[in-house]
Structures are given as C-alpha cells and as structure tokens.
C-alpha cells in the first residue's frame, strides 16, 4: 500500500471521521474506507464498483481520458509494435522485460507445454457438436485441476509458477480443439517448431490431408491480437478471477470463472457484436442510412466497435490494430467478402463524419480485431475464445499478484438491502 500523508474528513451528523488518502504512482488519489463500517457503522454504495479500488496492483494502468494503456509502465503501442506476445507475457508475469537468455528459456518452457493430457480429449467428445466453443472452454479449463494435481497448491510458489506456464501454454490448444470439434474436423496437435501465434493458426486451419503454411502477415496480426488483449486492468473478468481466487480456489477454477465472465456480450463479445452489426448493414450502399440511425437518439441502433466505455479519446490499441487490419485485408482481399467491404467503407465514412469526430467515436480495438478474424476465416463464435486465450496471461498475472499480497482477504461485497424486515412464517393452510 502506498504511503499516506493526507486525509479527508467525513462528517455524519455531529460525528467526524478521518479517512486516509493514498496517492498512487499514476491516477487519482484513493480514500481508504476499510475502517469506515467499524468506526461509523455505515457502508458505501457503489453499484458496478466504478468508484472503488479493490486492490493494489503494479501490472496495468489505464487513463481513459488521455487514451493511455501501460503494462508495467510500457505503452501498449510500443509493446504491440516492437515486441511480441510471449515477451509481453513475461513482462506481465515478472514485472520486467526479459534478457535474451530469459526470453529463450521462457519461450522454450511455454512451447514444450502446449500439449494437453491425452485423456482430456474425451471431454470434448462429451459436448454436442453445436456447443459454443466458450462453453467447451469453460468446462475443459475447469477440468484441468483433475489432471494436473501437481500445480493446484496455491500456497506453493513453485506450483503457482507451473500452473501459470501450463495455462498460457495450453490455452491455444484448448481453444483450437474447441473450434475443430465444432466444425467436425480432427484435432491437430501443436508443433514445437512454430511460434505461439503460428502454432494457434496451424492447429485451427491445418488438416491431415494437405500441408498448411502459416502466412507471416497473418501470424503477426494474430500475435498483435493476443498482445493487445493481454491485460486491461480490473475489468469484469479480471475482477472475477481475483474474487474466485480470494476464496483459495485452484488456479484452473479461477481462470474458468474468468472465461465464463468474459463470455458476456458486454465484455468479451464486443468484436462479435461488431461483426453482427456489419452483417446487419449488409452492403456499402446502406451505410449512410445506418450512420444516420446511429446519430438519432430515438433510434436504439448503435454503431458497435466505435468509441469505448473506458477510453474517452482514441483507444490506444486501435492504431496498431488498424495497421494489421490493413495488412490482412490487402493480403486476403475484400472483393468477395461484402462484410469486409462494409467494414472498410464504414471506417472511412465514420472517420470523416463531424458527428463522430466531435463525439470522439473512433474505431476501437474490437472493430479492427473483428474484421481481422473475419478475414482470416474464423467464425464469430471463435472471437471470444481467442480473446480468452489472449487474456489468460493477464488473469494469471493478477492471480499471482493477489496471492502474494499480504493484505488480500476473501472478497465479500456489502449491499443496500431493500427487502422485507423480519416476518413470521405463516402455515400454508392460512395463506
């Protein structure tokens, strides 16, 4: 906890209470209300916890007004432009960029743990073929605790390390298997001669009948999608992982809880919602009509993939993602894909429209990641699983940080109760 040299005075009736104020290295000051109930007998009320800090953290910082996203102090655009996903994983896990030797060892460790226990294949076959891949991932990741008993003791730092590496290494394999199962194709085993992103594309799109070569442009775009989604501070799914972890649950159960939360359309499903909107628009000639609807306050239609609840300026991840989107669309072409034609023209018109410029409704990372994944050939049902495997390192880093925090305790939010007061039970004959 940061040192405090300031305090605030809260007055309730005739009684006053001093609340310590902590100043972080970046961001607004924080009032410490931990002793408020014990001293004053009152709670605070904050639905959605939008004004409440639940933890100390040194991992990720966001300034939505300025469009800033930092991982361990490094701007996201620098990491996405100059680094790669596994190096960012190391940074998030350990706090510093690795040396060449440290990175080589880390990459080798992850690469050589990508296979899953062979018996876990039976789990996939227990699902219906039309099951959503996220449903499959929640079940399979939660079941990992039944197979990897040597990494479930959260009090053992070495076991926490092993669990962290296993989750990062095996999540692409699990996501790819969920995809293959949903389309009725055989599972493809990982290859140790491929990079993290190449291996995922290989497991998703190769088939036994012919050789598959991973295009370096697609691999780079995939790696950037992973990097740009690696962590995003105390969002809903990360907070879910931390809350689950606070009870002492094993790491696989905690990450499964994060996947379940991410599944929600208000969270991880944003890029899927964007593609569904593009399909609704349907053709380039209908774009002006839908832009007009988006400006109409009485029309429920909203342009998905524009603006961001956190970022009140440009999404700092979107600039890098736009570069990859342009590269992928140039490679794959948009001539035979009306959805991608709509996406390119909608981006152009929105960026030139005074209304969107004034409201700062710029294309965000979900807009660009959605059209990249569409161009690559992924169905929309795979968008959120890809998000989940990208975010795994963030969840794991936050989980490790919480377990190492001497202040951590089980989460127990309070409530503003508005129900009935004490009532006597009435026998059913008298009701």
């Amino acid at each position: 906890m940061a040192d405090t040299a300031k305090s605030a005075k809260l007055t309730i009736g005739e009684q006053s209470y001093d609340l310590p104020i902590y100043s972080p290295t970046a961001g607004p000051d924080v009032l410490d209300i931990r002793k408020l109930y014990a001293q004053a007998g009152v709670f605070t009320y904050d639905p959605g916890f939008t004004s409440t800090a639940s933890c100390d953290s040194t991992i990720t910082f966001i300034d939505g007004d300025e469009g800033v996203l930092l991982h361990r102090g490094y701007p996201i655009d620098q990491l996405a432009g100059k680094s790669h996903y596994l190096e960012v994983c190391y940074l998030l896990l350990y706090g510093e960029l690795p040396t060449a030797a440290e990175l080589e060892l880390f990459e080798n460790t992850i690469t050589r743990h990508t296979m899953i226990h062979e018996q876990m294949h039976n789990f996939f076959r227990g699902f219906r073929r039309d099951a959503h891949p996220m449903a499959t991932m929640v079940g399979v990741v939660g079941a990992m605790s039944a197979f990897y008993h040597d990494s479930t003791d959260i009090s053992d730092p070495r076991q926490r390390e092993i669990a962290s590496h296993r989750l990062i290494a095996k999540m692409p394999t699990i996501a790819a298997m969920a995809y293959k199962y949903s389309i009725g194709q055989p599972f493809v085993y990982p290859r140790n001669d491929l990079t993290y992103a190449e291996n995922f594309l290989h497991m998703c799109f190769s088939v036994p009948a012919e050789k598959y070569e991973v295009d370096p442009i697609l691999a780079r775009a995939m790696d950037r999608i992973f990097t740009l989604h690696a962590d995003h501070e105390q969002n809903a799914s990360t907070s879910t992982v931390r809350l689950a972890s606070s009870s002492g649950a094993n790491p696989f159960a905690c990450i499964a809880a994060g996947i379940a939360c991410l599944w929600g359309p208000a969270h991880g499903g944003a890029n899927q919602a964007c593609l569904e909107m593009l399909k609704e628009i349907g053709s380039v000639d209908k774009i002006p009509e839908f832009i007009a609807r988006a400006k109409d306050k009485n029309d429920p239609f909203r342009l998905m993939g524009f603006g961001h609840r956190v970022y009140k300026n440009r999404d700092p991840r979107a600039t890098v993602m736009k570069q990859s989107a342009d590269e992928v669309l140039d490679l794959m072409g948009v001539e035979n894909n009306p959805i991608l034609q709509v996406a390119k023209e909608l981006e152009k018109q929105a960026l030139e429209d005074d209304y969107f410029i004034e409201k700062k409704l710029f294309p965000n990372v979900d807009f660009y990641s959605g059209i990249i994944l569409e161009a690559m050939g992924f169905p929309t049902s795979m968008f959120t699983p890809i998000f989940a495997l990208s975010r795994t390192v963030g969840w794991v880093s936050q989980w490790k940080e919480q377990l190492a925090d001497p202040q951590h305790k089980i989460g127990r939010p309070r409530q503003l109760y508005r129900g009935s007061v004490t009532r006597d039970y009435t026998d059913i004959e008298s009701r």
Side-chain angles (χ1 to χ4, degrees):
M1 177 67 72
D3 293 332
T4 177
K6 299 182 291 184
S7 66
K9 191 173 294 293
L10 172 66
T11 301
I12 303 175
E14 297 180 355
Q15 184 69 40
S16 294
Y17 306 91
D18 290 324
L19 302 177
I21 298 178
Y22 297 104
S23 296
T25 53
D29 287 349
V30 177
L31 291 174
D32 184 351
I33 60 169
R34 286 176 293 175
K35 296 181 180 179
L36 182 61
Y37 177 57
Q39 293 177 345
V42 297
F43 302 142
T44 57
Y45 182 59
D46 183 21
F49 312 111
T50 55
S51 296
T52 300
S54 61
C55 63
D56 284 3
S57 185
T58 62
I59 299 172
T60 298
F61 173 72
I62 296 172
D63 185 333
D65 293 335
E66 297 298 324
V68 171
L69 171 59
L70 306 177
H71 290 327
R72 304 287 191 180
Y74 294 96
I76 188 60
D77 55 335
Q78 292 185 23
L79 293 175
K82 300 178 180 180
S83 184
H84 63 280
Y85 182 66
L86 284 186
E87 184 175 48
V88 172
C89 286
Y90 187 100
L91 173 67
L92 291 172
L93 285 171
Y94 301 111
E96 299 292 341
L97 289 171
T99 64
E102 289 170 336
L103 181 59
E104 182 180 8
L105 176 61
F106 181 71
E107 289 179 333
N108 286 340
T109 299
I110 298 301
T111 299
R112 282 161 177 76
H113 285 83
T114 51
M115 289 180 63
I116 65 171
H117 195 289
E118 191 70 12
Q119 196 172 338
M120 291 184 71
H121 290 212
N122 296 330
F123 272 82
F124 289 89
R125 297 185 173 94
F127 290 96
R128 286 173 49 134
R129 286 286 182 182
D130 59 355
H132 195 289
M134 283 294 279
T136 306
M137 288 185 69
V138 169
V140 174
V141 172
M144 288 176 71
S145 60
F147 290 86
Y148 301 107
H149 303 291
D150 61 342
S151 55
T152 57
D153 183 356
I154 62 173
S155 65
D156 184 342
R158 180 55 184 161
Q159 291 202 28
R160 295 202 298 264
E161 189 85 350
I162 293 171
S164 302
H165 292 166
R166 278 179 171 155
L167 282 160
I168 294 168
K170 299 181 191 304
M171 198 65 74
T173 307
I174 292 171
M177 290 176 70
Y179 171 58
K180 284 295 196 183
Y181 185 76
S182 71
I183 61 175
Q185 290 187 4
F187 297 142
V188 176
Y189 286 91
R191 281 172 40 186
N192 289 349
D193 60 321
L194 299 176
T195 67
Y196 193 86
E198 289 172 343
N199 203 21
F200 178 65
L201 292 172
H202 158 73
M203 290 188 289
C204 286
F205 294 123
S206 65
V207 292
E210 60 185 47
K211 188 176 181 180
Y212 174 76
E213 295 288 344
V214 182
D215 190 286
I217 292 177
L218 300 185
R220 178 59 176 156
M222 194 81 259
D223 188 87
R224 280 181 170 170
I225 287 176
F226 293 161
T227 300
L228 294 169
H229 290 89
D231 193 54
H232 209 238
E233 210 212 65
Q234 306 307 317
N235 53 78
S237 59
T238 299
S239 298
T240 298
V241 171
R242 279 183 172 264
L243 191 60
S245 171
S246 75
S247 73
N250 72 74
F252 307 109
C254 295
I255 301 307
I259 295 171
C261 181
L262 187 73
W263 195 354
H267 191 5
N271 52 8
Q272 179 173 341
C274 176
L275 257 290
E276 290 169 352
M277 174 202 70
L278 295 174
K279 292 177 181 177
E280 181 183 356
I281 296 174
S283 61
V284 171
D285 60 295
K286 292 184 178 179
I287 290 176
E289 171 193 339
F290 280 88
I291 287 182
R293 289 182 59 190
K295 296 177 183 179
D296 185 354
K297 293 182 179 180
N298 297 320
D299 193 314
F301 175 78
R302 294 291 181 267
L303 279 183
M304 304 300 296
F306 289 79
H308 196 279
R309 189 177 67 85
V310 173
Y311 300 108
K312 307 309 177 186
N313 207 311
R314 284 187 180 272
D315 184 338
R317 303 167 296 173
T319 302
V320 180
M321 194 65 87
K322 173 177 167 53
Q323 179 184 343
S324 282
D326 291 339
E327 292 171 355
V328 170
L329 293 185
D330 286 345
L331 174 69
M332 307 301 289
V334 300
E335 298 81 9
N336 298 318
N337 191 325
I339 296 174
L340 298 179
Q341 291 175 7
V342 169
K344 290 288 287 183
E345 184 60 27
L346 178 60
E347 175 199 30
K348 178 177 181 295
Q349 291 191 28
L351 288 174
E352 295 173 350
D353 191 291
D354 291 339
Y355 175 86
F356 291 97
I357 295 172
E358 179 184 346
K359 299 286 186 181
K360 296 183 178 179
L361 297 175
F362 305 111
N364 60 33
V365 68
D366 299 310
F367 178 82
Y368 292 118
S369 64
I371 63 176
I372 288 172
L373 295 174
E374 165 72 19
M376 286 182 176
F378 284 104
T380 54
S381 62
M382 274 300 292
F383 288 7
T384 316
I386 290 170
F387 193 161
L389 83 87
S390 308
R391 183 56 55 82
T392 295
V393 66
W395 291 332
V396 168
S397 300
Q398 301 271 351
W399 169 77
K400 286 183 63 181
E401 181 181 65
Q402 175 170 293
L403 290 177
D405 185 354
Q407 299 182 97
H408 100 272
K409 59 181 66 176
I410 187 169
R412 181 61 173 87
R414 298 291 187 170
Q415 65 177 7
L416 173 61
Y417 180 69
R418 294 186 180 276
S420 300
V421 292
T422 304
R423 297 189 285 181
D424 289 328
Y425 178 81
T426 305
D427 291 335
I428 194 166
E429 293 84 0
S430 304
R431 292 181 215 159

